[in-house]
C-alpha cells in the first residue's frame, strides 16, 4: 500500500520505517527541512536500535521517501497517518496544536477519498474533532472528497520501538465501519502473519486504551516505589517483597521494580492528560493523581539520601553520575530523573561529573543553562569517577551492572554508591562500600 506519515518524531519515523520495511511505499512528511535533509542522508534525529539500517535500506529500495511537500505525499497515497507530537500544556492537558495543523494541511491538499489514521496519543473525542475540522475545510473548498477517521494508538517502548512495531503484541484499531477495519487489517497483515492480534473497537475507546495502558504501567511503578519507601522505614527489603508478590500470576514481575522514578515522553504526559480529561468531565481521579505525586516525590529520593550522608551544604563535593537518559537504550531525557537529581545537588553547591553512552547531548539541551558550569561530561564511565566523592547511578545501562569495584574503590574519595535502580548486590558492603538503595 501507499502511505503518508505526517511527523518524523519518535512514533512517525519508526512507524514509517517499519511499514516501508514490509514493502509499502511510505512518504514521511515533516515541516522541518533540516530534519528531512538529514534523514535523506540517513542521519537519525533519535537513537533507536535497528532504525538507521531500516531507513537506509528502504530509501535505497525506493520504498521510503522523506519530504516537506505534503501535497506530493497525499497525491500518491490512500492512507494518512498523523504522528505528530502532543506535548503537555501548562494545565496538564494534551496540546493538540500540531494535530490540528496536520489536519488543516490534509484538508487543504487532499484530492481523493482517504483514510486518516491518528497514531498520536490524543484525548478521547479528538478523532471526531479532527474529522470535523477536515470536513469543514473540504466543504469550504466545495470538495466531494470523503474521509474516514481511524484511531490506531502506538504501543512502542523507547529502546525496543522497532521490535515492538515489527512484532506487536496487539494492534488496536478504532473505526466506524467494517470496510475501514478490513483495509487496516490488510495494511498490518504482514506484521501478524502467525497470530490474530487485532483488537477492533470504536474510535473513542481506542483513544482511551492508549492512556489507560500508560496510566496502568505508571501506577504499577509508583505503587512499587511507595512500597519501597515503606519497606525502608520498616526495615523490610523491597527486593524480597518483589519476588514474593511477582510470583503471583495475577501480579507478575513486569513494572514492579523499585527505583528513582519514571520519566520519558509518555508516562508523565499521558498520566497528566488523563487526569485533565477526567477533571474536565467532572470526575476527580484520585488514584491517578497520586500516581503522579508519588513519582515526583520519588525523583527526590536520591537527593535526600545524598543530603543525609553528606549534609545539606554540598559545597566542595563532587558526585559522579552514571546515566542521564530516562531509561536504557535511548537518548531521551524528557522528564528524566537525572534532570532533577543533578539540578538539586548543584543548588546545594555540588559539582557533577556525568556520563551516558548516548544521552549527553540531549541532556545538555534539556538542563537549565544556569547549571552547566557545574557539570563536567565524560566519554567513559570511569573517567567521571576520578576525584569524585561518591557515585550516583540513575540509568541502568548494562555497562554499569558489573563495574570494576576495585577501580571504584581506588578512584572515589569515599567508597559510597547511591544505587537508584537497585542493581548492585549488598555484598559490596563486605569490601568496604557504603551502598544506598531504594527500599533496601
Amino acid at each position: 500500500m501507499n502511505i503518508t506519515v505526517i511527523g518524523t518524531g519518535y512514533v512517525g519515523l519508526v512507524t514509517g520505517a517499519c511499514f516501508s520495511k514490509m514493502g509499502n511505499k511510505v512518504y514521511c512528511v515533516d515541516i522541518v527541512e533540516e530534519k528531512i535533509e538529514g534523514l535523506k542522508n540517513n542521519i537519525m534525529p533519535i537513537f533507536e536500535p535497528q532504525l538507521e539500517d531500516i531507513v537506509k535500506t528502504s530509501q535505497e529500495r525506493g520504498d521510503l521517501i522523506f519530504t516537506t511537500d505534503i501535497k506530493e505525499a497525499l497525491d500518491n497515497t490512500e492512507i494518512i497517518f498523523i504522528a505528530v507530537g502532543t506535548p503537555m500544556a501548562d494545565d496538564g492537558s494534551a496540546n493538540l496544536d500540531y494535530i490540528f495543523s496536520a489536519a488543516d494541511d490534509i484538508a487543504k491538499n487532499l484530492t481523493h477519498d482517504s483514510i486518516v489514521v491518528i497514531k498520536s496519543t490524543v484525548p478521547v473525542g479528538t478523532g471526531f474533532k479532527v474529522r470535523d475540522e477536515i470536513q469543514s475545510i473540504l466543504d469550504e473548498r466545495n470538495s466531494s472528497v470523503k474521509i474516514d477517521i481511524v484511531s490506531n494508538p502506538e504501543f512502542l517502548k523507547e529502546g525496543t520501538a522497532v521490535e515492538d512495531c515489527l512484532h506487536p503484541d496487539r494492534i488496536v484499531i478504532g473505526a466506524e465501519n467494517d470496510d475501514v477495519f478490513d483495509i487496516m487489517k490488510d495494511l498490518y497483515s504482514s506484521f501478524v502473519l502467525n497470530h490474530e492480534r487485532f483488537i477492533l473497537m470504536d474510535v473513542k475507546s481506542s483513544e482511551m486504551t492508549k492512556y489507560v495502558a500508560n496510566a496502568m504501567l505508571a501506577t504499577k511503578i509508583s505503587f512499587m516505589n511507595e512500597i519501597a519507601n515503606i519497606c525502608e522505614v520498616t526495615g523490610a527489603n523491597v527486593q524480597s517483597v518483589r519476588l514474593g508478590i511477582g510470583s503471583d500470576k495475577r501480579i507478575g514481575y513486569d513494572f514492579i521494580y523499585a527505583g528513582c522514578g519514571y520519566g520519558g515522553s509518555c508516562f508523565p504526559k499521558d498520566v497528566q492528560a488523563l487526569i485533565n480529561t477526567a477533571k474536565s468531565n467532572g470526575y476527580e481521579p484520585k488514584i491517578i493523581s497520586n500516581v503522579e505525586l508519588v513519582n515526583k516525590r520519588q525523583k527526590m529520593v536520591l537527593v535526600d539520601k545524598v543530603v543525609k550522608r553528606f549534609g545539606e551544604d554540598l559545597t566542595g563535593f563532587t558526585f559522579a553520575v552514571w546515566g542521564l537518559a530516562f531509561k536504557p537504550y535511548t537518548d531521551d531525557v524528557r522528564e528524566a530523573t537525572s534532570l532533577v537529581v543533578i539540578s538539586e545537588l548543584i543548588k546545594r553547591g555540588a559539582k557533577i561529573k556525568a556520563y551516558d553512552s548516548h544521552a549527553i547531548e540531549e541532556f545538555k539541551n534539556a538542563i537549565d543553562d544556569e547549571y552547566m558550569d557545574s557539570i563536567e561530561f565524560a566519554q567513559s564511565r570511569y573517567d567521571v569517577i576520578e576525584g569524585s566523592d561518591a557515585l550516583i547511578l540513575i540509568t541502568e545501562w548494562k555497562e554499569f551492572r558489573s563495574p570494576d569495584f576495585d577501580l571504584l574503590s581506588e578512584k572515589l574519595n569515599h567508597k559510597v554508591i547511591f544505587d537508584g535502580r537497585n542493581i548492585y548486590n549488598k555484598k559490596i558492603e563486605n569490601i568496604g562500600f557504603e551502598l544506598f538503595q531504594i527500599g533496601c
Side-chain angles (χ1 to χ4, degrees), residues 86-97 269 272-273 276:
T86 54
M88 186 164 56
D90 291 340
D91 64 355
S93 64
N95 184 331
L96 300 178
D97 289 350
K269 172 178 70 71
Q272 280 290 353
N276 184 273

Side-chain angles (χ1 to χ4, degrees), residues 211-229:
Y211 277 115
V212 173
N214 279 351
M216 175 62 77
L217 296 175
T219 299
K220 292 184 72 174
I221 294 171
S222 280
F223 175 81
M224 207 61 194
N225 284 334
E226 188 93 282
I227 296 302
N229 296 335

Side-chain angles (χ1 to χ4, degrees), residues 120-388:
S120 304
T121 302
V122 295
V124 176
T126 301
F128 293 139
K129 292 178 181 178
V130 168
R131 178 196 61 191
D132 294 345
E133 175 77 6
I134 294 174
Q135 190 61 57
S136 68
I137 296 175
L138 290 173
D139 291 343
E140 290 174 5
R141 291 175 50 201
N142 295 316
S143 172
S144 61
V145 168
K146 293 181 174 57
I147 63 162
D148 287 288
I149 201 76
V150 171
S151 169
N152 174 220
E154 53 84 16
F155 298 99
L156 308 179
K157 301 183 293 294
E158 293 191 40
T160 59
V162 170
E163 280 299 308
D164 293 340
C165 193
L166 294 175
H167 308 287
D169 52 13
R170 82 281 207 195
I171 299 171
V172 174
I173 302 172
E176 297 182 276
N177 65 70
D178 290 340
D179 290 340
V180 173
F181 280 128
D182 289 341
I183 293 171
M184 293 298 296
K185 289 174 72 173
D186 285 345
L187 175 62
Y188 275 106
S189 61
S190 56
F191 295 91
V192 289
L193 291 175
N194 297 325
H195 301 282
E196 179 68 34
R197 299 191 177 182
F198 295 105
I199 302 174
L200 310 182
M201 60 185 71
D202 62 275
V203 173
K204 287 187 175 182
S205 295
S206 175
E207 292 169 335
M208 179 62 87
T209 296
K210 170 62 177 181
Y211 277 115
V212 173
N214 279 351
M216 175 62 77
L217 296 175
T219 299
K220 292 184 72 174
I221 294 171
S222 280
F223 175 81
M224 207 61 194
N225 284 334
E226 188 93 282
I227 296 302
N229 296 335
I230 297 172
C231 285
E232 194 155 318
V233 298
T234 59
N237 187 314
V238 74
Q239 297 284 65
S240 299
V241 173
R242 177 180 61 81
L243 295 174
I245 66 171
S247 56
D248 187 327
K249 293 180 180 179
R250 297 169 300 174
I251 298 173
Y253 291 104
D254 292 340
F255 288 85
I256 61 168
Y257 289 83
C260 51
Y262 61 76
S265 63
C266 294
F267 287 5
K269 172 178 70 71
D270 293 351
V271 169
Q272 280 290 353
L274 187 55
I275 292 169
N276 184 273
T277 296
K279 288 183 175 180
S280 64
N281 284 275
Y283 181 80
E284 185 67 31
K286 295 191 180 296
I287 291 177
I288 302 170
S289 296
N290 281 293
V291 165
E292 182 61 18
L293 289 175
V294 169
N295 189 58
K296 287 181 178 179
R297 184 177 64 190
Q298 200 67 18
K299 291 181 179 181
M300 285 294 296
V301 166
L302 284 175
V303 177
D304 294 340
K305 289 180 181 294
V306 171
V307 168
K308 186 175 181 179
R309 171 61 176 79
F310 289 98
E312 182 68 32
D313 184 0
L314 297 175
T315 303
F317 289 103
T318 298
F319 296 97
V321 172
W322 280 0
L324 300 172
F326 86 94
K327 62 179 286 188
Y329 313 112
T330 180
D331 59 355
D332 195 345
V333 301
R334 284 173 288 183
E335 302 291 333
T337 297
S338 61
L339 293 167
V340 175
V341 172
I342 288 175
S343 61
E344 289 293 331
L345 294 180
I346 293 173
K347 286 177 185 178
R348 291 164 172 80
K351 299 290 187 182
I352 301 295
K353 293 181 179 181
Y355 167 73
D356 188 292
S357 58
H358 288 87
I360 288 176
E361 292 306 314
E362 292 298 320
F363 183 87
K364 289 178 180 178
N365 293 330
I367 192 78
D368 289 345
D369 290 340
E370 63 181 295
Y371 302 121
M372 283 296 292
D373 289 343
S374 299
I375 308 173
E376 176 186 332
F377 297 96
Q379 298 304 310
S380 160
R381 66 188 186 276
Y382 293 121
D383 288 345
V384 301
I385 300 299
E386 185 76 50
S388 292

